[in-house]
């Protein structure tokens, strides 16, 4: 849920600068890796179904033995279903549909081949003959179904098939899962929020308050006289938009915390993670008609093309992501507080 994503994102490792740089580089190849995993899973699934039909042909069609054919067909079709169950990250109802589409066609083919080999002249045989196009249609529907499951969803600037577990294994720090709760439908969200315990609301409120103070302090670094004057106008405009967006979110957060009775959070002192003089600001400066990135140490005149190794860096691109994520958590907190208030009124 919310706390799981928060815990993953707010670890010390996830906040390190080299991890953020890795995240930017990962966006260049993660989609290729994800679809390679999906293609391999689909190929193995089709291989299992192909082996089940091969066993039907060899055992029933060539050698006229039924029990080995039945056992092998069920085994391969069951393996195909287990592979799909392990690979797909979706509801149980959809998994049951997938299982039926993988097990039923081979079994229909098995029954049809039995009657064909028996050479029984009976009206019911026409029914089994009519199954043949149904079997093909079920396989076509299975391909359509599995392609629908591979439909990409855009999260964190990347289009990924998030219905596959092997894709989520690439998401070590929870960057993909942070935008939504995997496996839960939107219709279930109000019920989950209403059942949220006070500890969940308190932890989320505490995190939001701490994050609010940290973002505000980082924005204040950019408001130091002389900083925005030396950057390109586009970067200054981005900062002004960020400040307006954050001020709106901060006002909403303070108002909701005050109305919910979290006065101790509003009055709590949040310690600085780094001293202001240790932070380097990544500035975009126009030099000789070209835009270059320079790093300026806050409150000092020290400017470098590259910051010292391991030094904390304030980057507007990273700040945009932090504020967008903060906005989502503030919205979630507002929904939790509203649901809690509504549940309290209903209990009365």
């Amino acid at each position: 849920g919310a706390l799981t994503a928060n815990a993953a994102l707010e670890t010390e490792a996830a906040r390190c600068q080299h991890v953020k740089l890795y995240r930017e580089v990962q966006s260049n190849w993660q989609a290729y890796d994800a679809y390679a995993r999906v293609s391999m899973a689909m190929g193995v699934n089709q291989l299992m179904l192909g082996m089940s039909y091969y066993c039907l042909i060899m055992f029933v069609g060539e050698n006229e033995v039924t029990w080995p054919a039945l056992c092998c067909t069920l085994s391969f079709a069951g393996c195909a279903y287990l592979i799909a169950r392990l690979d797909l990250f979706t509801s149980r109802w959809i998994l049951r549909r997938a299982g039926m589409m993988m097990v039923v066609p081979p079994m229909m083919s098995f029954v049809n081949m039995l009657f064909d080999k028996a050479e029984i002249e009976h009206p019911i045989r026409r029914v089994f003959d009519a199954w043949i196009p149904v079997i093909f249609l079920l396989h076509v529907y299975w391909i359509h179904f599995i392609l629908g499951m591979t439909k990409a969803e855009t999260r964190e600037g990347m289009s990924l098939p998030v219905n596959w577990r092997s894709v989520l294994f690439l998401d070590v720090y929870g960057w993909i899962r942070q935008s939504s709760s995997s496996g839960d439908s939107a219709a279930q969200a109000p019920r989950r929020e209403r059942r949220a315990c006070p500890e969940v609301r308190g932890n989320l409120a505490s995190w939001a308050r701490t994050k609010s103070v940290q973002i505000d302090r980082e924005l204040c670094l950019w408001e130091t006289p002389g900083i925005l004057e030396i950057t390109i106008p586009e970067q200054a405009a981005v900062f002004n938009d960020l400040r307006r967006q954050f001020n709106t979110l901060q006002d909403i957060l303070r108002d909701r915390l005050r109305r919910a009775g979290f006065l101790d959070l509003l009055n709590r002192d949040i310690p600085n993670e780094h001293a202001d003089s240790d932070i380097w600001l990544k500035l975009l400066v126009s030099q000789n008609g070209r835009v270059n990135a320079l790093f300026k140490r806050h409150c000092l005149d020290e400017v470098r093309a590259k910051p010292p190794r391991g030094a904390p860096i304030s980057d507007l691109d990273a700040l945009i992501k932090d504020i967008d994520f903060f906005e989502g958590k503030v919205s979630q907190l507002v929904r939790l507080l509203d649901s809690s208030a509504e549940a309290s009124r209903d209990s009365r």
Side-chain angles (χ1 to χ4, degrees):
L3 293 181
T4 304
N6 286 345
L9 286 168
E10 293 307 312
T11 57
E12 291 296 328
R15 291 199 300 265
C16 292
Q17 183 64 24
H18 70 279
V19 176
K20 295 180 180 179
L21 292 175
Y22 170 77
R23 174 59 174 166
E24 296 178 3
V25 175
Q26 188 186 35
S27 63
N28 296 323
W29 54 262
Q30 191 172 23
Y32 298 98
D33 192 347
Y35 277 101
R37 293 166 181 257
V38 170
S39 299
M40 184 170 59
M42 293 178 62
V44 173
N45 178 273
Q46 293 300 303
L47 175 63
M48 293 296 102
L49 291 177
M51 289 298 298
S52 66
Y53 285 108
Y54 176 79
C55 291
L56 285 178
I57 295 173
M58 294 302 297
F59 286 117
V60 180
E62 299 292 336
N63 300 303
E64 298 184 1
V65 288
T66 57
W67 286 110
L70 178 62
C71 294
C72 291
T73 301
L74 289 177
S75 298
F76 283 118
C79 289
Y81 170 69
L82 290 177
I83 292 173
R85 183 178 177 85
L86 292 174
D87 285 333
L88 295 177
F89 193 74
T90 182
S91 65
R92 293 182 180 179
W93 164 243
I94 295 180
L95 288 175
R96 292 192 189 101
R97 288 172 52 196
M100 291 180 60
M101 285 184 286
M102 283 179 285
V103 176
V104 171
M107 294 308 302
M108 293 175 64
S109 300
F110 173 75
V111 174
N112 190 48
M113 291 183 69
L114 285 183
F115 274 85
D116 183 68
K117 284 295 180 180
E119 297 182 355
I120 298 176
E121 295 296 336
H122 194 277
I124 197 174
R125 183 173 178 178
R126 298 180 181 178
V127 177
F128 294 120
D129 291 338
W131 279 5
I132 297 177
V134 176
I135 295 172
F136 284 97
L137 289 176
L138 286 175
H139 282 298
V140 171
Y141 182 70
W142 165 247
I143 297 296
H144 175 75
F145 169 82
I146 205 68
L147 289 177
M149 296 300 296
T150 60
K151 183 179 180 180
E153 295 184 16
T154 302
R155 297 182 181 179
E156 293 295 303
M158 290 181 294
S159 296
L160 298 174
V162 295
N163 291 322
W164 295 76
R165 294 180 189 270
S166 57
V167 174
L168 297 181
F169 291 157
L170 300 173
D171 188 28
V172 180
Y173 293 101
W175 280 303
I176 299 175
R177 291 186 291 269
Q178 72 184 25
S179 58
S180 66
S181 299
S182 299
D184 292 332
S185 64
Q188 294 174 334
R191 286 180 289 177
R192 292 198 310 271
E193 292 165 357
R194 182 170 292 196
R195 291 196 305 265
C197 62
E199 183 180 358
V200 173
R201 293 191 295 270
N203 290 340
L204 185 56
S206 177
W207 177 89
R209 169 60 178 164
T210 302
K211 193 67 175 179
S212 171
V213 173
Q214 293 174 352
I215 294 177
D216 185 58
R217 287 172 177 168
E218 187 171 357
L219 290 174
C220 289
L221 298 179
W222 288 83
E223 293 175 332
T224 303
I227 295 296
L228 295 178
E229 285 77 3
I230 62 177
T231 63
I232 60 175
E234 290 81 1
Q235 190 177 34
V238 169
F239 173 80
N240 293 329
D241 293 338
L242 285 179
R243 170 51 86 177
R244 284 192 295 268
Q245 179 185 2
F246 175 74
N247 287 343
T248 302
L249 295 174
Q250 193 175 41
D251 293 339
I252 295 174
L253 177 63
R254 288 174 178 173
D255 177 66
R256 298 314 299 264
L257 292 180
R258 189 178 299 108
R259 289 163 53 185
F262 291 102
L263 299 179
D264 57 329
L265 289 179
L266 295 174
N267 299 326
R268 181 186 303 174
D269 292 331
I270 308 298
N272 282 332
E273 188 176 1
H274 301 286
D276 291 349
S277 58
D278 294 336
I279 299 177
W280 293 76
L281 305 179
K282 184 179 179 181
L283 308 178
L284 299 180
V285 182
S286 178
Q287 295 177 329
N288 299 325
R290 299 179 59 184
V291 177
N292 297 320
L294 296 178
F295 296 86
K296 182 182 184 304
R297 193 172 181 180
H298 184 257
C299 296
L300 299 175
D301 294 332
E302 186 176 357
V303 179
R304 297 187 182 183
K306 293 183 178 180
R309 179 175 299 180
I313 299 173
S314 177
D315 183 7
L316 283 188
D317 291 335
L319 198 55
I320 290 174
K321 296 181 180 179
D322 286 343
I323 292 179
D324 289 341
F325 181 60
F326 174 71
E327 182 178 10
K329 292 306 173 184
V330 169
S331 300
Q332 186 177 18
L333 178 61
V334 170
R335 292 196 303 268
L336 288 175
L337 295 177
D338 289 341
S339 299
S340 176
E342 183 179 353
S344 300
R345 288 194 299 268
D346 294 342
S347 62
R348 295 175 186 175

